[in-house]
Short mmCIF file of all heavy atoms in Angstrom, two decimals:
data_model
loop_
_atom_site.label_atom_id
_atom_site.label_comp_id
_atom_site.label_asym_id
_atom_site.label_seq_id
_atom_site.Cartn_x
_atom_site.Cartn_y
_atom_site.Cartn_z
N MET A 1458 4.85 -1.92 -9.29
CA MET A 1458 4.81 -0.81 -8.34
C MET A 1458 4.01 0.33 -8.92
O MET A 1458 4.29 0.80 -10.01
CB MET A 1458 6.24 -0.36 -8.03
CG MET A 1458 6.31 0.78 -7.02
SD MET A 1458 5.81 0.25 -5.39
CE MET A 1458 5.66 1.85 -4.61
N PHE A 1459 2.98 0.73 -8.24
CA PHE A 1459 2.10 1.79 -8.71
C PHE A 1459 1.80 2.73 -7.56
O PHE A 1459 1.60 2.28 -6.44
CB PHE A 1459 0.80 1.18 -9.24
CG PHE A 1459 -0.29 2.18 -9.52
CD1 PHE A 1459 -0.28 2.92 -10.68
CD2 PHE A 1459 -1.30 2.40 -8.60
CE1 PHE A 1459 -1.28 3.85 -10.95
CE2 PHE A 1459 -2.30 3.33 -8.84
CZ PHE A 1459 -2.28 4.04 -10.03
N VAL A 1460 1.81 4.01 -7.82
CA VAL A 1460 1.49 5.00 -6.80
C VAL A 1460 0.37 5.89 -7.31
O VAL A 1460 0.43 6.39 -8.43
CB VAL A 1460 2.71 5.89 -6.44
CG1 VAL A 1460 2.33 6.88 -5.35
CG2 VAL A 1460 3.88 5.03 -5.98
N GLY A 1461 -0.66 6.05 -6.51
CA GLY A 1461 -1.76 6.91 -6.93
C GLY A 1461 -2.54 7.36 -5.71
O GLY A 1461 -2.22 6.98 -4.58
N TRP A 1462 -3.60 8.10 -5.93
CA TRP A 1462 -4.43 8.54 -4.82
C TRP A 1462 -5.32 7.39 -4.37
O TRP A 1462 -5.77 6.59 -5.18
CB TRP A 1462 -5.26 9.75 -5.23
CG TRP A 1462 -4.42 10.94 -5.55
CD1 TRP A 1462 -4.18 11.46 -6.79
CD2 TRP A 1462 -3.67 11.73 -4.63
NE1 TRP A 1462 -3.33 12.53 -6.68
CE2 TRP A 1462 -3.00 12.73 -5.38
CE3 TRP A 1462 -3.49 11.71 -3.25
CZ2 TRP A 1462 -2.17 13.68 -4.78
CZ3 TRP A 1462 -2.66 12.65 -2.66
CH2 TRP A 1462 -2.02 13.63 -3.42
N GLY A 1463 -5.56 7.34 -3.07
CA GLY A 1463 -6.37 6.27 -2.52
C GLY A 1463 -7.82 6.34 -2.97
O GLY A 1463 -8.28 7.35 -3.49
N ASN A 1464 -8.52 5.22 -2.77
CA ASN A 1464 -9.93 5.17 -3.12
C ASN A 1464 -10.76 4.52 -2.01
O ASN A 1464 -11.83 4.00 -2.26
CB ASN A 1464 -10.12 4.42 -4.45
CG ASN A 1464 -9.63 2.98 -4.36
OD1 ASN A 1464 -9.26 2.51 -3.29
ND2 ASN A 1464 -9.62 2.28 -5.47
N GLY A 1465 -10.25 4.57 -0.79
CA GLY A 1465 -10.99 4.03 0.34
C GLY A 1465 -10.69 2.58 0.66
O GLY A 1465 -11.20 2.05 1.64
N ARG A 1466 -9.85 1.94 -0.14
CA ARG A 1466 -9.47 0.55 0.12
C ARG A 1466 -8.62 0.46 1.39
O ARG A 1466 -7.88 1.37 1.71
CB ARG A 1466 -8.67 0.06 -1.09
CG ARG A 1466 -8.20 -1.37 -0.99
CD ARG A 1466 -7.79 -1.91 -2.35
NE ARG A 1466 -7.20 -0.90 -3.22
CZ ARG A 1466 -7.16 -1.00 -4.54
NH1 ARG A 1466 -7.68 -2.02 -5.14
NH2 ARG A 1466 -6.60 -0.05 -5.25
N ALA A 1467 -8.74 -0.66 2.08
CA ALA A 1467 -7.99 -0.82 3.33
C ALA A 1467 -6.50 -1.04 3.05
O ALA A 1467 -6.13 -1.76 2.13
CB ALA A 1467 -8.54 -1.98 4.12
N CYS A 1468 -5.68 -0.41 3.87
CA CYS A 1468 -4.24 -0.59 3.81
C CYS A 1468 -3.89 -1.99 4.31
O CYS A 1468 -4.44 -2.45 5.31
CB CYS A 1468 -3.60 0.47 4.69
SG CYS A 1468 -1.84 0.28 4.96
N ASP A 1469 -2.97 -2.69 3.64
CA ASP A 1469 -2.59 -4.04 4.05
C ASP A 1469 -1.66 -4.04 5.26
O ASP A 1469 -1.38 -5.10 5.83
CB ASP A 1469 -1.93 -4.77 2.88
CG ASP A 1469 -2.98 -5.30 1.92
OD1 ASP A 1469 -3.81 -6.10 2.35
OD2 ASP A 1469 -2.96 -4.89 0.74
N ALA A 1470 -1.18 -2.88 5.65
CA ALA A 1470 -0.31 -2.82 6.82
C ALA A 1470 -1.09 -2.47 8.09
O ALA A 1470 -0.95 -3.12 9.11
CB ALA A 1470 0.80 -1.80 6.59
N CYS A 1471 -1.93 -1.46 8.02
CA CYS A 1471 -2.60 -0.98 9.23
C CYS A 1471 -4.12 -1.18 9.21
O CYS A 1471 -4.79 -0.88 10.19
CB CYS A 1471 -2.26 0.50 9.45
SG CYS A 1471 -3.00 1.61 8.25
N ASP A 1472 -4.68 -1.69 8.09
CA ASP A 1472 -6.11 -1.96 7.98
C ASP A 1472 -7.00 -0.72 8.04
O ASP A 1472 -8.21 -0.82 8.18
CB ASP A 1472 -6.58 -2.96 9.04
CG ASP A 1472 -6.10 -4.37 8.75
OD1 ASP A 1472 -5.88 -4.67 7.56
OD2 ASP A 1472 -5.94 -5.15 9.69
N GLN A 1473 -6.40 0.46 7.93
CA GLN A 1473 -7.19 1.69 7.86
C GLN A 1473 -7.40 2.04 6.39
O GLN A 1473 -6.57 1.74 5.53
CB GLN A 1473 -6.44 2.84 8.54
CG GLN A 1473 -6.14 2.58 10.02
CD GLN A 1473 -7.40 2.45 10.85
OE1 GLN A 1473 -8.26 3.33 10.82
NE2 GLN A 1473 -7.51 1.35 11.58
N ALA A 1474 -8.52 2.67 6.09
CA ALA A 1474 -8.82 3.03 4.71
C ALA A 1474 -7.80 4.03 4.17
O ALA A 1474 -7.35 4.92 4.90
CB ALA A 1474 -10.22 3.62 4.63
N ILE A 1475 -7.45 3.86 2.91
CA ILE A 1475 -6.57 4.82 2.24
C ILE A 1475 -7.50 5.78 1.50
O ILE A 1475 -8.14 5.40 0.53
CB ILE A 1475 -5.62 4.11 1.25
CG1 ILE A 1475 -4.82 3.02 1.97
CG2 ILE A 1475 -4.68 5.13 0.61
CD1 ILE A 1475 -4.05 2.11 1.02
N THR A 1476 -7.60 6.99 2.00
CA THR A 1476 -8.57 7.94 1.46
C THR A 1476 -8.04 8.64 0.21
O THR A 1476 -6.86 8.56 -0.12
CB THR A 1476 -8.92 9.01 2.51
OG1 THR A 1476 -7.82 9.91 2.64
CG2 THR A 1476 -9.22 8.38 3.85
N ALA A 1477 -8.93 9.35 -0.46
CA ALA A 1477 -8.57 10.06 -1.68
C ALA A 1477 -7.58 11.19 -1.41
O ALA A 1477 -6.98 11.73 -2.33
CB ALA A 1477 -9.83 10.61 -2.36
N ALA A 1478 -7.43 11.57 -0.15
CA ALA A 1478 -6.49 12.63 0.22
C ALA A 1478 -5.09 12.08 0.49
O ALA A 1478 -4.17 12.84 0.78
CB ALA A 1478 -7.01 13.38 1.45
N GLU A 1479 -4.95 10.75 0.41
CA GLU A 1479 -3.67 10.12 0.73
C GLU A 1479 -3.14 9.35 -0.48
O GLU A 1479 -3.91 8.82 -1.28
CB GLU A 1479 -3.84 9.14 1.90
CG GLU A 1479 -4.29 9.82 3.18
CD GLU A 1479 -4.66 8.82 4.25
OE1 GLU A 1479 -5.60 8.05 4.05
OE2 GLU A 1479 -3.98 8.81 5.27
N LEU A 1480 -1.84 9.25 -0.58
CA LEU A 1480 -1.23 8.47 -1.65
C LEU A 1480 -1.31 6.98 -1.30
O LEU A 1480 -1.10 6.58 -0.16
CB LEU A 1480 0.24 8.86 -1.83
CG LEU A 1480 0.47 10.18 -2.55
CD1 LEU A 1480 1.96 10.52 -2.54
CD2 LEU A 1480 -0.02 10.10 -3.99
N GLU A 1481 -1.65 6.19 -2.30
CA GLU A 1481 -1.70 4.74 -2.13
C GLU A 1481 -0.56 4.11 -2.93
O GLU A 1481 -0.37 4.41 -4.11
CB GLU A 1481 -3.04 4.22 -2.67
CG GLU A 1481 -3.13 2.70 -2.67
CD GLU A 1481 -4.42 2.21 -3.30
OE1 GLU A 1481 -5.49 2.49 -2.75
OE2 GLU A 1481 -4.36 1.58 -4.36
N TYR A 1482 0.19 3.25 -2.26
CA TYR A 1482 1.27 2.53 -2.92
C TYR A 1482 0.80 1.10 -3.16
O TYR A 1482 0.39 0.42 -2.23
CB TYR A 1482 2.53 2.50 -2.03
CG TYR A 1482 3.33 3.78 -2.09
CD1 TYR A 1482 2.77 4.99 -1.73
CD2 TYR A 1482 4.65 3.76 -2.52
CE1 TYR A 1482 3.51 6.16 -1.79
CE2 TYR A 1482 5.40 4.93 -2.58
CZ TYR A 1482 4.82 6.13 -2.21
OH TYR A 1482 5.56 7.27 -2.27
N GLU A 1483 0.85 0.67 -4.41
CA GLU A 1483 0.43 -0.69 -4.75
C GLU A 1483 1.65 -1.47 -5.22
O GLU A 1483 2.42 -1.01 -6.05
CB GLU A 1483 -0.61 -0.66 -5.87
CG GLU A 1483 -1.05 -2.05 -6.30
CD GLU A 1483 -2.12 -2.01 -7.38
OE1 GLU A 1483 -3.12 -1.31 -7.21
OE2 GLU A 1483 -1.92 -2.66 -8.41
N THR A 1484 1.82 -2.65 -4.67
CA THR A 1484 2.94 -3.47 -5.06
C THR A 1484 2.48 -4.92 -5.21
O THR A 1484 1.53 -5.34 -4.56
CB THR A 1484 4.09 -3.38 -4.03
OG1 THR A 1484 5.16 -4.20 -4.44
CG2 THR A 1484 3.62 -3.78 -2.65
N ASP A 1485 3.11 -5.68 -6.08
CA ASP A 1485 2.66 -7.05 -6.37
C ASP A 1485 3.78 -8.05 -6.15
O ASP A 1485 4.02 -8.93 -6.95
CB ASP A 1485 2.13 -7.15 -7.80
CG ASP A 1485 3.15 -6.71 -8.83
OD1 ASP A 1485 4.24 -6.24 -8.42
OD2 ASP A 1485 2.87 -6.83 -10.03
N VAL A 1486 4.44 -7.91 -5.03
CA VAL A 1486 5.62 -8.74 -4.76
C VAL A 1486 5.26 -10.13 -4.22
O VAL A 1486 6.12 -10.99 -4.15
CB VAL A 1486 6.56 -8.07 -3.75
CG1 VAL A 1486 7.11 -6.79 -4.32
CG2 VAL A 1486 5.86 -7.81 -2.44
N LEU A 1487 4.01 -10.34 -3.83
CA LEU A 1487 3.66 -11.66 -3.28
C LEU A 1487 3.76 -12.73 -4.36
O LEU A 1487 3.47 -12.49 -5.52
CB LEU A 1487 2.23 -11.65 -2.72
CG LEU A 1487 2.02 -10.85 -1.43
CD1 LEU A 1487 0.63 -11.13 -0.89
CD2 LEU A 1487 3.07 -11.19 -0.39
N PRO A 1488 4.17 -13.95 -3.96
CA PRO A 1488 4.32 -15.05 -4.93
C PRO A 1488 3.03 -15.35 -5.69
O PRO A 1488 3.08 -15.75 -6.85
CB PRO A 1488 4.73 -16.24 -4.05
CG PRO A 1488 5.40 -15.62 -2.87
CD PRO A 1488 4.64 -14.33 -2.62
N ASP A 1489 1.89 -15.18 -5.05
CA ASP A 1489 0.63 -15.48 -5.74
C ASP A 1489 0.14 -14.32 -6.59
O ASP A 1489 -0.92 -14.39 -7.20
CB ASP A 1489 -0.44 -15.92 -4.73
CG ASP A 1489 -0.82 -14.81 -3.75
OD1 ASP A 1489 -0.34 -13.68 -3.91
OD2 ASP A 1489 -1.59 -15.08 -2.83
N GLY A 1490 0.90 -13.23 -6.60
CA GLY A 1490 0.56 -12.11 -7.46
C GLY A 1490 -0.51 -11.19 -6.92
O GLY A 1490 -0.91 -10.25 -7.58
N ARG A 1491 -0.98 -11.46 -5.72
CA ARG A 1491 -2.01 -10.59 -5.15
C ARG A 1491 -1.40 -9.25 -4.79
O ARG A 1491 -0.41 -9.20 -4.07
CB ARG A 1491 -2.60 -11.24 -3.90
CG ARG A 1491 -3.77 -10.45 -3.30
CD ARG A 1491 -4.39 -11.21 -2.14
NE ARG A 1491 -3.48 -11.31 -1.01
CZ ARG A 1491 -3.42 -10.40 -0.02
NH1 ARG A 1491 -4.18 -9.34 -0.07
NH2 ARG A 1491 -2.58 -10.56 0.96
N PRO A 1492 -1.94 -8.15 -5.30
CA PRO A 1492 -1.36 -6.85 -4.99
C PRO A 1492 -1.60 -6.44 -3.55
O PRO A 1492 -2.63 -6.77 -2.96
CB PRO A 1492 -2.07 -5.91 -5.96
CG PRO A 1492 -3.36 -6.57 -6.26
CD PRO A 1492 -3.09 -8.05 -6.20
N LEU A 1493 -0.63 -5.73 -3.00
CA LEU A 1493 -0.76 -5.16 -1.66
C LEU A 1493 -0.91 -3.65 -1.81
O LEU A 1493 -0.34 -3.05 -2.71
CB LEU A 1493 0.48 -5.47 -0.83
CG LEU A 1493 0.71 -6.93 -0.47
CD1 LEU A 1493 2.06 -7.09 0.22
CD2 LEU A 1493 -0.40 -7.47 0.40
N HIS A 1494 -1.68 -3.06 -0.91
CA HIS A 1494 -1.92 -1.62 -0.95
C HIS A 1494 -1.54 -1.01 0.39
O HIS A 1494 -1.93 -1.52 1.44
CB HIS A 1494 -3.40 -1.34 -1.26
CG HIS A 1494 -3.85 -1.98 -2.53
ND1 HIS A 1494 -4.42 -3.25 -2.57
CD2 HIS A 1494 -3.76 -1.56 -3.81
CE1 HIS A 1494 -4.67 -3.56 -3.83
NE2 HIS A 1494 -4.29 -2.58 -4.61
N PHE A 1495 -0.79 0.08 0.32
CA PHE A 1495 -0.31 0.70 1.55
C PHE A 1495 -0.47 2.21 1.50
O PHE A 1495 -0.42 2.82 0.43
CB PHE A 1495 1.19 0.43 1.72
CG PHE A 1495 1.56 -1.02 1.84
CD1 PHE A 1495 2.14 -1.67 0.77
CD2 PHE A 1495 1.37 -1.71 3.02
CE1 PHE A 1495 2.49 -3.01 0.86
CE2 PHE A 1495 1.72 -3.05 3.12
CZ PHE A 1495 2.29 -3.71 2.04
N HIS A 1496 -0.58 2.81 2.71
CA HIS A 1496 -0.39 4.25 2.81
C HIS A 1496 1.09 4.52 2.50
O HIS A 1496 1.93 3.64 2.67
CB HIS A 1496 -0.65 4.74 4.24
CG HIS A 1496 -2.08 4.60 4.68
ND1 HIS A 1496 -2.52 3.61 5.52
CD2 HIS A 1496 -3.16 5.37 4.39
CE1 HIS A 1496 -3.83 3.77 5.74
NE2 HIS A 1496 -4.23 4.82 5.07
N GLN A 1497 1.39 5.75 2.16
CA GLN A 1497 2.78 6.12 1.90
C GLN A 1497 3.66 5.78 3.09
O GLN A 1497 4.72 5.18 2.98
CB GLN A 1497 2.85 7.61 1.58
CG GLN A 1497 4.24 8.08 1.18
CD GLN A 1497 4.22 9.53 0.74
OE1 GLN A 1497 3.37 10.30 1.14
NE2 GLN A 1497 5.17 9.90 -0.09
N LYS A 1498 3.20 6.17 4.29
CA LYS A 1498 4.02 5.92 5.48
C LYS A 1498 4.09 4.44 5.81
O LYS A 1498 5.12 3.95 6.29
CB LYS A 1498 3.49 6.73 6.67
CG LYS A 1498 2.13 6.27 7.18
CD LYS A 1498 1.69 7.13 8.37
CE LYS A 1498 0.45 6.57 9.05
NZ LYS A 1498 -0.68 6.36 8.14
N CYS A 1499 3.02 3.71 5.56
CA CYS A 1499 3.01 2.28 5.84
C CYS A 1499 3.90 1.53 4.86
O CYS A 1499 4.56 0.55 5.22
CB CYS A 1499 1.59 1.73 5.77
SG CYS A 1499 0.53 2.40 7.06
N PHE A 1500 3.94 1.97 3.62
CA PHE A 1500 4.83 1.34 2.64
C PHE A 1500 6.28 1.50 3.06
O PHE A 1500 7.07 0.56 2.99
CB PHE A 1500 4.62 1.96 1.26
CG PHE A 1500 5.57 1.39 0.23
CD1 PHE A 1500 5.36 0.13 -0.31
CD2 PHE A 1500 6.69 2.11 -0.15
CE1 PHE A 1500 6.25 -0.40 -1.23
CE2 PHE A 1500 7.58 1.57 -1.08
CZ PHE A 1500 7.37 0.32 -1.61
N ALA A 1501 6.62 2.70 3.54
CA ALA A 1501 8.00 2.96 3.96
C ALA A 1501 8.36 2.04 5.12
O ALA A 1501 9.47 1.48 5.17
CB ALA A 1501 8.16 4.42 4.36
N THR A 1502 7.42 1.86 6.05
CA THR A 1502 7.68 0.98 7.19
C THR A 1502 7.80 -0.47 6.73
O THR A 1502 8.70 -1.20 7.13
CB THR A 1502 6.50 1.08 8.20
OG1 THR A 1502 6.41 2.44 8.62
CG2 THR A 1502 6.74 0.18 9.41
N TRP A 1503 6.88 -0.89 5.86
CA TRP A 1503 6.87 -2.27 5.36
C TRP A 1503 8.16 -2.56 4.60
O TRP A 1503 8.79 -3.60 4.78
CB TRP A 1503 5.64 -2.44 4.47
CG TRP A 1503 5.55 -3.78 3.79
CD1 TRP A 1503 5.10 -4.94 4.35
CD2 TRP A 1503 5.88 -4.06 2.43
NE1 TRP A 1503 5.16 -5.94 3.41
CE2 TRP A 1503 5.63 -5.44 2.24
CE3 TRP A 1503 6.37 -3.29 1.37
CZ2 TRP A 1503 5.84 -6.06 1.00
CZ3 TRP A 1503 6.58 -3.91 0.14
CH2 TRP A 1503 6.32 -5.28 -0.04
N GLU A 1504 8.55 -1.64 3.72
CA GLU A 1504 9.74 -1.84 2.91
C GLU A 1504 10.99 -1.94 3.79
O GLU A 1504 11.91 -2.71 3.53
CB GLU A 1504 9.89 -0.68 1.92
CG GLU A 1504 10.99 -0.88 0.91
CD GLU A 1504 11.04 0.26 -0.07
OE1 GLU A 1504 11.04 1.43 0.35
OE2 GLU A 1504 11.06 -0.01 -1.28
N ALA A 1505 11.03 -1.14 4.87
CA ALA A 1505 12.19 -1.13 5.77
C ALA A 1505 12.34 -2.45 6.50
O ALA A 1505 13.43 -2.80 6.95
CB ALA A 1505 12.05 0.02 6.77
N GLU A 1506 11.22 -3.19 6.62
CA GLU A 1506 11.25 -4.47 7.34
C GLU A 1506 11.61 -5.64 6.46
O GLU A 1506 11.76 -6.76 6.93
CB GLU A 1506 9.89 -4.71 8.00
CG GLU A 1506 9.60 -3.73 9.14
CD GLU A 1506 8.20 -3.91 9.70
OE1 GLU A 1506 7.42 -4.68 9.12
OE2 GLU A 1506 7.91 -3.25 10.71
N LEU A 1507 11.71 -5.44 5.17
CA LEU A 1507 12.06 -6.54 4.26
C LEU A 1507 13.49 -6.99 4.47
O LEU A 1507 14.35 -6.16 4.73
CB LEU A 1507 11.87 -6.11 2.80
CG LEU A 1507 10.42 -6.00 2.34
CD1 LEU A 1507 10.40 -5.59 0.88
CD2 LEU A 1507 9.70 -7.33 2.51
ZN1 ZN B 1145 -1.61 2.04 6.42
#
């Protein structure tokens, strides 16, 4: 679990870019180890659906 400022990468929840003005949440919970990147609000939504 890593939290930092975005760098323009697409959010895995909404497919919108995570800009440098927004916090990016990175998590590696997938079985294949591929990290997921979310906006702060998208991470909260995603986590609530687990
Ligand atoms: Zn998003």
